[in-house]
Amino acid sequence: MNGRKPFVLYTAMAFGYAFLYLPIVAVIAYSFNKSRMVTVWGGFSLKWYGELAGNTQILDAAQRSLLIAALTATLAVCLGTLAGLALARFGRFSGRNLLSLLTSAPLVMPEVMLGLSALLLFVSLEQLVGWPERRGLTTITIAHVTFCICYVTVIVRSRLVQMDHSVEEAAMDLGARPWKVFFVITLPLIAPALLAGWLLAFTLSLDDLVVSSFTSGPGASTLPMVIYSKVKLGVTPEINALATLVILFVAAGVTIAGWMLHRQGKATG
Amino acid sequence: MARPASHSSLWQLWHQVFTDLFRWIGVLGRELSSSRGRWVVLALPMLWLVAFFLVPFLLVLKISFASAVSGAQPPYSDMIGTAEDGALTLRFAIAGYQLLLTDSLYVTAYVNSLVFATVSTLGCLVLGYPIAYGIARASPAARAVLLVLVILPFWTSSLLRAYALIGILRTNGLLNQLLMGLGITDAPLVILHTDLAVYIGITYNYLPFMIMPLTANLMRLDFTLLEAAADLGARPLTSFLRITLPLSVPGIVAGSLLVFIPAVGEFVIPDLLGGPDALTIGRAIWTEFFSNRDWPMASAVAIAMLALIVVPMLVFEYVQDKRLEGDRR
């Protein structure tokens, strides 16, 4: 290897990383800008965070989004784990292809399609059985769980496939019942995958604009919906502050979880 | 007397309900611990996905053949009706699909979506390849840090990242201030609300999707091949073009698919960063649905998107997978 190529490589890498991080760093920097003008630096100030704290519309939406994300992640992890378990451990069974298709199709389905189809289901259900009367938290959560299941399934399934099956078989041979084997052996071993799946489902739900817009009803705007309508009107320092908080919150969560998983991985070898 | 009697019957009812409930929980428990329990494991996610993914999907297909009825709730026609003589009628409206082929608006939307997705996928490849290559060749410790730095943006909101780009690309944004400050341009460049902004936006958003599979692929590359080539006098460029690039084709294909498929249906980025004429399929469906309230048309556009783009890509991926499996054998 001669000396020129690493230089070209490092320049290209530096450019790529700068491209990934510069916009985010700029938003964070400008959230502390005193001036209302988004492009002029008017000195350090926390006043946009103060205004954010007084904006009930944003706080309401944030609360709703966090609740939806937590519910979605929990339900998606339960259902996705079952699906992953079936696909990785049950061998060949009738319906395997269908389950495999159903857990991978939403991954490649465009968001607009997921949102539109979920809404049409809720409207048809309302006509047929009178439920859901109002669209909002429940309908958004159901639609989010549906696509989040697939991400959890992928994670859990790949973890189970990598995992040594012999421990489970040994427990089974010693007379443990399948359900006990799952709770005592399989579950602790796939716990990192469950945590990763939960976090991924949580952030996907928290981030989603399109599916929520289709399945939401009046007075049930989620945080991305509020941000979207504000951004459509123009860049505001308040959104800079909000973006900073969301980005730091997610980055901190992912970093802590990653560090915990790393440590656990070291401890268990 | 009437009151205590109803009380006791109510109490009996509750007793019945509770004992039944516990009995059923017992049965369920036995069922779960037997090998038949696996059907419960299987049925729960299956039922959920059938009810909330498969059925809705078929509904979209059905409604794409209905015709729009403005003012009605919901705003589309019943396909199954009764004629005046009482006979059951089945009405298929293919007006939506006809319009799709004849109205230049929709044709433009499809072409735009394909162009945006293709150019952005290439952008991701050009930007992502050196990063993936660098990560693959880095020491394990540096590799972990570099990978985390790639994955972290993937976890942060894509809506907020699109918003962040607006601040950079605006006429008086950071990029223009930088360019003018360095004396590269005299007047600010108009980038925001052009097609270029959409390319940059999609590339920015999906770059991690390209880097991750490419890194995984390049990490498996046998670097002694490159050393051998260098020993035999090959220039770095030659050995890159003749060894590294051909061997990384599976990674390139996987990354490109991960970027291309979601990019085709993307709504947020073209909507926020593109101009009003940057009409994509995602925006077309959104407008038909929310502004025009033409649900059958929105459904027809969505079905056509799947049939024309997503399904061929999946078939391609399937064939590619089979071929790779064949190679391995």
Side-chain angles (χ1 to χ4, degrees), chain B residues 21-293:
Chain B
L21 192 67
F22 280 116
R23 205 158 55 85
W24 279 111
I25 289 175
V27 170
L28 192 68
R30 265 202 303 284
E31 199 68 20
L32 288 180
S33 55
S34 77
S35 67
R36 271 180 294 175
R38 63 195 244 157
W39 292 111
V40 179
V41 170
L42 194 58
L44 281 174
M46 190 87 116
L47 281 177
W48 183 287
L49 287 168
V50 166
F52 297 117
F53 178 70
L54 193 60
V55 171
F57 178 74
L58 297 174
L59 268 174
V60 175
L61 194 61
K62 183 196 130 188
I63 288 163
S64 73
F65 286 108
S67 46
V69 180
S70 63
Q73 187 54 256
Y76 52 84
S77 65
D78 260 342
M79 286 163 65
I80 304 169
T82 41
E84 278 167 32
D85 57 353
L88 210 63
T89 58
L90 192 61
R91 272 190 222 95
F92 272 99
I94 53 164
Y97 289 97
Q98 279 173 337
L99 195 62
L100 215 58
L101 289 174
T102 49
D103 195 332
S104 66
L105 190 77
Y106 299 107
V107 179
T108 314
Y110 278 87
V111 172
N112 274 348
S113 293
L114 286 175
V115 170
F116 283 141
T118 310
V119 174
S120 312
T121 307
L122 287 176
C124 282
L125 189 61
V126 170
L127 263 175
Y129 203 103
I131 297 185
Y133 188 83
I135 295 175
R137 297 217 64 172
S139 66
R143 183 186 288 167
V145 173
L146 289 172
L147 259 181
V148 166
L149 284 176
V150 168
I151 295 169
L152 212 52
F154 159 77
W155 287 83
T156 52
S157 163
S158 62
L159 174 64
L160 288 175
R161 280 189 293 144
Y163 166 77
L165 265 187
I166 296 179
I168 300 277
L169 300 177
R170 287 147 53 92
T171 320
N172 52 1
L174 273 183
L175 180 66
N176 272 316
Q177 287 181 1
L178 188 75
L179 288 177
M180 281 156 72
L182 290 173
I184 297 173
T185 53
D186 295 330
L189 300 173
V190 179
I191 301 176
L192 191 63
H193 302 310
T194 65
D195 288 357
L196 180 61
V198 181
Y199 300 144
I200 296 176
I202 299 180
T203 304
Y204 176 57
N205 195 49
Y206 290 106
L207 191 55
F209 287 68
M210 176 66 87
I211 296 177
M212 284 190 272
L214 254 182
T215 307
N217 172 273
L218 285 170
M219 268 160 64
R220 284 197 301 268
L221 183 76
D222 188 356
F223 284 104
T224 55
L225 289 175
L226 296 182
E227 279 165 25
D231 288 348
L232 293 172
R235 291 181 182 199
L237 187 67
T238 316
S239 58
F240 174 77
L241 287 178
R242 299 193 56 176
I243 300 172
T244 314
L245 202 59
L247 282 175
S248 60
V249 165
I252 293 176
V253 171
S256 300
L257 281 172
L258 279 182
V259 175
F260 189 87
I261 293 178
V264 166
E266 182 62 48
F267 164 76
V268 176
I269 296 168
D271 191 63
L272 287 180
L273 300 177
D277 56 332
L279 186 70
T280 61
I281 310 174
R283 285 179 94 177
I285 296 175
W286 186 279
T287 321
E288 287 301 341
F289 188 85
F290 285 107
S291 310
N292 304 350
R293 285 188 63 79

Side-chain angles (χ1 to χ4, degrees), chain A residues 145-156:
Chain A
V145 169
T146 307
F147 69 84
C148 287
I149 287 178
C150 307
Y151 289 90
V152 177
T153 306
V154 169
I155 296 174
V156 171

Side-chain angles (χ1 to χ4, degrees), chain A residues 213-227:
Chain A
S213 300
F214 276 99
T215 50
S216 171
S221 294
T222 61
L223 191 59
M225 288 163 73
V226 173
I227 294 174

Side-chain angles (χ1 to χ4, degrees), chain A residues 32-153:
Chain A
F32 296 109
N33 190 2
K34 202 177 199 165
S35 159
R36 176 163 265 291
M37 296 290 295
V38 193
T39 48
V40 184
W41 182 254
F44 182 85
S45 149
L46 285 175
K47 79 170 172 186
W48 302 114
Y49 290 90
E51 292 211 356
L52 199 62
N55 189 326
T56 49
Q57 188 201 8
I58 287 180
L59 292 181
D60 263 9
Q63 212 180 355
R64 189 174 294 115
S65 277
L66 287 172
L67 180 62
I68 291 173
L71 284 173
T72 297
T74 310
L75 261 172
V77 163
C78 293
L79 291 167
T81 306
L82 294 182
L85 196 66
L87 287 173
R89 284 287 186 265
F90 283 7
R92 303 189 68 82
F93 56 87
S94 55
R96 187 179 202 281
N97 286 336
L98 178 66
L99 187 65
S100 184
L101 179 76
L102 285 177
T103 51
S104 54
L107 296 176
V108 293
M109 202 58 81
E111 283 177 306
V112 266
M113 181 75 191
L114 290 172
L116 181 67
S117 61
L119 175 79
L120 293 179
L121 173 79
F122 293 134
V123 171
S124 306
L125 271 180
E126 194 187 342
Q127 274 183 300
L128 283 176
V129 296
W131 180 90
E133 244 173 83
R134 285 162 47 98
R135 285 189 293 278
L137 210 131
T138 318
T139 50
I140 298 174
T141 307
I142 291 175
H144 282 186
V145 169
T146 307
F147 69 84
C148 287
I149 287 178
C150 307
Y151 289 90
V152 177
T153 306

